[in-house]
């Protein structure tokens, strides 16, 4: 089977490389010519463990190719995946201009039965709009060519995307016809052979499943952060609370870890989009509005702890930040807590030194010379008044605390991910502040 994947961002490139690894002939399409040239030269534009090897292997073996125009390969493919960006508009709704552009190109150029699969995260009802755009273009051409639109939302976690794609806990496919179901079943047959769950639904349900799943996970995070903040006020330990409720089989232990707020490309965008979809249908998602509000405030928690510790005077204080990406194993800083903290510290007159094993270049692109960039995690803490941990990278888990204490001006550590032991840190001579205990 031959497929095209439009968009070589995080979802498109991972999906294309993984389909190629399963034996499918794939063309990844992107209008950015420099990006395509770079990919052909083996330069991967995003950081994802194992992705560079997978792309290079399948490109070298001829199963994965790259192009700058969908038209150039449309005659040779059976299924087109649309994996273009859907950034949020100012009002929180998803911007569908790129999705519709793919649909127009598809309608203007197909010559045989083909399927357009929406892989991007899009609001409920998008497939209907896509179908209308395609049919309009076919009518303009005066041709009668059958086609199908399918919804196949992605559930990839940054840092483990290849594993998630190759060994999914479920594959959701929204279809309207038996013909589309047969073709998608053929494409996903390798997954069926391994007994992975491929769930066929109607299209609106498939579109909703993606938003509902991410919104539920975001809700759990904000709920635990709310509980953590209350634990501090009443003298409880959120880590013990988390373990206590996580053993309830009705609740489970996933996404119950308190922290300094969620970020990234999915949760913030999807929560906003679902709230907006509800508003467009004269309904208010009150729980999700609270989830979003809690998360925005949680991103300020570490700054508030630091601010209170120094009694409101952070001018000329030197602060180290470990971790810039919104989570470990990625260089993604979209909606990252680090950006909020940096802005607050700069506004308070502090000097900032940052270190992240992967996201330093991304931070330079976003923040520029407003902060100092350390050469390593130990260089970052030299003569600082406090250390803030924002991202739980593995190399931060067992640092040389004796050396760090001697390097710091004041032994203050504020842990935004609760990865250190409070008792041990106090025994080492640190003032240690964390979330919810």
């Amino acid at each position: 089977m031959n497929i095209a994947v439009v968009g070589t961002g995080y979802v498109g490139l991972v999906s294309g490389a993984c389909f190629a690894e399963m034996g499918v002939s794939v063309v990844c399409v992107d209008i950015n010519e420099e990006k395509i040239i770079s990919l052909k030269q083996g330069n991967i534009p995003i950081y994802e463990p194992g992705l560079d090897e997978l792309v290079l292997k399948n490109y070298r073996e001829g199963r994965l190719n790259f192009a700058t125009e969908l038209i150039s390969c449309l005659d040779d493919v059976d299924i087109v995946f649309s994996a273009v960006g859907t950034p949020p508009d100012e009002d929180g709704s998803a911007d569908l201009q790129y999705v519709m552009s793919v649909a127009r190109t598809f309608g203007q150029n197909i010559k045989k039965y083909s399927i357009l699969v929406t892989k991007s995260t899009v609001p409920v009802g998008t497939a209907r709009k896509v179908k209308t755009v395609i049919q309009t273009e076919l009518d303009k051409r005066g041709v009668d060519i059958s086609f199908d639109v399918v919804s196949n939302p992605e559930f990839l976690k940054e840092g483990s995307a290849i594993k998630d794609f190759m060994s999914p806990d479920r594959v959701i496919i929204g279809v309207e016809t038996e013909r589309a179901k047969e073709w998608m079943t053929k494409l996903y047959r390798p997954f069926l052979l391994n007994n992975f769950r491929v769930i066929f639904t109607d299209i609106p349900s498939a579109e909703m499943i993606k938003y509902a799943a991410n919104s539920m996970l975001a809700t759990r995070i904000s709920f635990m952060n709310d509980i953590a903040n209350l634990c501090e006020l009443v003298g409880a330990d959120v880590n013990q609370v988390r373990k206590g409720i996580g053993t309830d089989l009705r609740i489970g232990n996933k996404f119950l870890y308190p922290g300094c707020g969620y970020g990234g490309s999915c949760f913030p965008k999807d929560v906003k989009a679902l709230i907006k979809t509800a508003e467009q249908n004269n309904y208010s998602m009150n729980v999700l509005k609270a989830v979003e509000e809690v998360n925005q405030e949680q991103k300020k928690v570490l700054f508030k702890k630091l601010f209170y510790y120094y009694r409101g005077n952070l001018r000329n204080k030197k602060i180290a930040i470990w971790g810039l990406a919104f989570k470990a194993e990625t260089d993604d800083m979209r909606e990252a807590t680090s950006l909020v903290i940096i802005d607050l510290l700069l506004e308070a007159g502090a000097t900032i030194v940052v270190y992240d094993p992967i996201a330093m270049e991304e931070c330079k692109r976003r923040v520029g010379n407003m902060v100092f960039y350390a050469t390593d995690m130990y260089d970052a803490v030299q003569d600082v008044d406090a250390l803030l941990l924002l991202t739980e990278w593995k190399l931060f888990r067992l640092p040389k605390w004796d050396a760090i204490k001697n390097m710091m001006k004041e032994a203050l550590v504020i842990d935004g991910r609760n990865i250190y032991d409070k008792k041990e840190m106090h025994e080492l001579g640190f003032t240690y502040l964390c979330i919810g205990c």
Side-chain angles (χ1 to χ4, degrees), residues 285-326:
M285 302 290 284
N286 294 330
V287 172
L288 286 188
K289 288 179 180 178
V291 167
E292 190 176 38
E293 182 180 349
V294 168
N295 190 57
Q296 292 306 315
E297 287 302 308
Q298 196 68 18
K299 291 182 179 182
K300 304 173 186 176
V301 164
L302 297 197
F303 172 80
K304 289 179 180 178
K305 290 177 182 290
L306 181 67
F307 189 80
Y308 293 149
Y309 181 86
Y310 281 112
R311 299 181 179 180
N313 183 18
L314 294 178
R315 187 158 299 280
N316 298 321
K317 296 295 184 184
K318 187 178 180 182
I319 310 301
I321 293 177
W322 278 359
L324 297 165
F326 86 94

Side-chain angles (χ1 to χ4, degrees), residues 409-427:
K409 187 183 298 182
E410 183 159 353
L412 170 62
V413 175
I414 306 181
D415 180 0
R417 299 297 175 184
N418 287 11
I419 68 173
Y420 304 125
D421 182 85
K422 187 175 184 178
K423 181 181 178 183
E424 179 183 352
M425 293 299 287
H426 288 163
E427 290 174 350

Side-chain angles (χ1 to χ4, degrees), residues 6-212:
V6 184
T8 58
Y10 189 83
V11 173
L13 192 56
V14 170
S15 299
C18 288
F19 272 127
E21 180 70 8
M22 299 299 276
V24 179
S25 179
V26 182
V27 179
C28 283
V29 180
D30 200 294
I31 59 173
N32 188 328
E33 188 173 350
E34 289 184 4
K35 194 174 185 181
I36 293 299
I37 292 172
S38 184
L39 282 166
K40 289 181 177 179
Q41 293 172 344
N43 301 314
I44 309 303
I46 57 177
Y47 177 79
E48 175 63 33
L51 181 60
D52 49 354
E53 295 94 336
L54 199 66
V55 170
L56 290 172
K57 172 190 173 185
N58 284 282
Y59 178 62
R60 190 168 52 243
E61 295 178 1
R63 289 187 298 274
L64 179 63
N65 289 287
F66 302 98
T68 56
E69 292 184 334
L70 177 59
I71 301 172
S72 66
C73 59
L74 201 50
D75 290 350
D76 300 318
V77 301
D78 308 298
I79 300 174
V80 175
F81 280 82
S82 177
V84 294
T86 54
D89 277 336
E90 291 183 4
D91 64 356
S93 61
D95 184 348
L96 299 177
Q97 62 173 310
Y98 306 113
V99 172
M100 296 307 166
S101 177
V102 174
R104 280 191 292 274
T105 300
F106 183 88
Q108 290 166 358
N109 295 279
I110 57 171
K111 296 182 176 64
K112 64 181 189 312
Y113 172 77
S114 303
I115 298 174
L116 180 59
V117 181
T118 303
K119 198 71 175 169
S120 308
T121 301
V122 295
V124 178
T126 299
R128 183 177 64 253
K129 296 176 182 178
V130 166
K131 188 174 181 180
T132 298
V133 167
I134 295 170
Q135 189 59 58
T136 298
E137 295 301 330
L138 290 172
D139 292 343
K140 288 179 182 178
R141 293 167 58 192
V143 295
D144 183 16
I145 301 173
S146 61
F147 67 93
D148 269 302
V149 173
V150 168
S151 175
N152 180 209
E154 56 85 17
F155 296 94
L156 307 178
K157 297 185 294 293
E158 293 188 40
S160 61
I162 293 172
K163 179 180 180 297
D164 290 343
F165 195 100
M166 303 301 283
S167 302
D169 51 12
R170 82 286 201 200
V171 176
I172 303 296
I173 304 175
V175 297
E176 284 184 328
T177 69
E178 280 299 316
R179 189 177 188 183
K181 183 177 180 180
E182 289 174 7
W183 283 53
M184 295 303 290
T185 299
K186 180 180 179 182
L187 177 62
Y188 276 103
R189 184 165 292 130
F191 300 95
L192 292 167
L193 292 174
N194 289 323
N195 295 317
F196 298 133
R197 288 185 292 180
V198 178
I199 302 172
F200 286 95
T201 70
D202 59 75
I203 292 177
S205 297
E207 292 173 328
M208 179 60 82
I209 286 169
K210 169 66 174 181
Y211 281 106

Side-chain angles (χ1 to χ4, degrees), residues 151-389:
S151 175
N152 180 209
E154 56 85 17
F155 296 94
L156 307 178
K157 297 185 294 293
E158 293 188 40
S160 61
I162 293 172
K163 179 180 180 297
D164 290 343
F165 195 100
M166 303 301 283
S167 302
D169 51 12
R170 82 286 201 200
V171 176
I172 303 296
I173 304 175
V175 297
E176 284 184 328
T177 69
E178 280 299 316
R179 189 177 188 183
K181 183 177 180 180
E182 289 174 7
W183 283 53
M184 295 303 290
T185 299
K186 180 180 179 182
L187 177 62
Y188 276 103
R189 184 165 292 130
F191 300 95
L192 292 167
L193 292 174
N194 289 323
N195 295 317
F196 298 133
R197 288 185 292 180
V198 178
I199 302 172
F200 286 95
T201 70
D202 59 75
I203 292 177
S205 297
E207 292 173 328
M208 179 60 82
I209 286 169
K210 169 66 174 181
Y211 281 106
N214 279 352
S215 295
M216 172 57 76
L217 297 178
T219 299
R220 288 171 70 95
I221 293 171
S222 282
F223 172 77
M224 282 308 299
N225 283 334
D226 236 5
I227 292 295
N229 295 335
L230 183 57
C231 282
E232 290 187 22
L233 296 174
V234 301
D237 185 335
V238 73
N239 293 315
Q240 296 181 39
V241 173
R242 174 181 58 78
K243 292 175 183 176
I245 66 174
T247 54
D248 188 326
L249 295 179
R250 296 167 300 174
I251 298 172
N253 59 12
K254 299 292 180 64
F255 283 80
L256 291 184
Y257 290 85
C260 50
Y262 62 76
S265 62
C266 292
F267 287 6
K269 178 171 69 73
D270 292 355
V271 169
K272 287 183 176 68
L274 193 52
I275 290 172
K276 187 63 181 179
T277 297
E279 289 175 352
Q280 292 168 345
N281 288 273
N282 300 314
Y283 186 78
S284 177
M285 302 290 284
N286 294 330
V287 172
L288 286 188
K289 288 179 180 178
V291 167
E292 190 176 38
E293 182 180 349
V294 168
N295 190 57
Q296 292 306 315
E297 287 302 308
Q298 196 68 18
K299 291 182 179 182
K300 304 173 186 176
V301 164
L302 297 197
F303 172 80
K304 289 179 180 178
K305 290 177 182 290
L306 181 67
F307 189 80
Y308 293 149
Y309 181 86
Y310 281 112
R311 299 181 179 180
N313 183 18
L314 294 178
R315 187 158 299 280
N316 298 321
K317 296 295 184 184
K318 187 178 180 182
I319 310 301
I321 293 177
W322 278 359
L324 297 165
F326 86 94
K327 60 179 277 189
E329 302 300 333
T330 181
D331 62 349
D332 194 344
M333 288 182 64
R334 285 173 289 184
E335 301 279 351
T337 297
S338 61
L339 295 174
V340 175
I341 296 292
I342 287 171
D343 282 345
L344 291 170
L345 288 173
L346 289 173
E347 187 178 342
T351 298
I352 308 168
V353 185
V354 302
Y355 179 72
D356 187 289
I358 297 296
M360 296 287 268
E361 290 302 317
E362 180 64 12
C363 187
K364 290 176 183 177
R365 187 182 72 82
R366 289 177 175 269
V367 179
N369 60 3
M370 302 297 288
V371 302
F372 293 94
Y373 298 90
T375 56
D376 58 41
M377 59 189 285
Y378 297 103
D379 179 43
V381 299
Q382 191 70 47
D383 297 321
V384 299
D385 296 283
L387 165 63
L388 276 56
L389 177 105

Side-chain angles (χ1 to χ4, degrees), residues 328-329 357 391-399 419:
E329 302 300 333
T391 314
E392 63 276 28
W393 286 97
K394 291 177 182 177
L395 81 165
F396 296 148
R397 293 182 183 178
L398 289 172
I419 68 173

